Amino acid sequence: PDGASASERDMIAADLAIKRYMAAVQVYVDCVEAETKGLRSTAPSRDRAGTKLREERAIRRLNEAAAAMENVAELFNQAVAAYKERRQ
């Protein structure tokens, strides 16, 4: 929400939505990490190049998820700061 004009109810709803989003992204991250660990333990030694490529893709997905979470958190923190400043 736009913290400069949002109501308290809007800010609380956004906070809850962001917490749900962060939890869902964490589930995704956990799945990708488990998949990556599984690749290492089950990949035949002759498929090292393919395994390495899949691991690189998984790392890229993890980095993208982390960046998305950081972006959402930063935007919400800015909204909270604007909301608090308006209320003073």
Side-chain angles (χ1 to χ4, degrees):
D2 178 1
S5 61
S7 68
E8 181 177 6
R9 175 179 261 167
D10 292 338
M11 295 300 292
I12 291 170
D15 182 49
L16 294 173
I18 289 168
K19 287 177 180 173
R20 286 191 304 271
Y21 167 77
M22 295 293 190
V25 173
Q26 187 59 53
V27 168
Y28 169 76
V29 166
D30 293 344
C31 287
V32 173
E33 287 176 343
E35 175 187 345
T36 303
K37 289 177 186 173
L39 286 172
R40 290 185 196 124
S41 64
T42 61
S45 59
R46 67 184 181 283
D47 190 29
R48 287 189 184 147
T51 299
K52 183 169 176 51
L53 179 62
R54 288 187 291 278
E55 285 179 344
E56 288 170 356
R57 287 180 183 154
I59 290 168
R60 188 170 48 250
R61 293 190 331 242
L62 290 171
N63 289 339
E64 289 168 354
M69 290 172 73
E70 289 173 9
N71 185 51
V72 167
E74 177 61 29
L75 290 172
F76 185 65
N77 288 339
Q78 290 173 5
V80 169
Y83 175 79
K84 287 180 177 180
E85 184 176 316
R86 185 186 86 213
R87 296 199 46 138
Q88 289 182 10

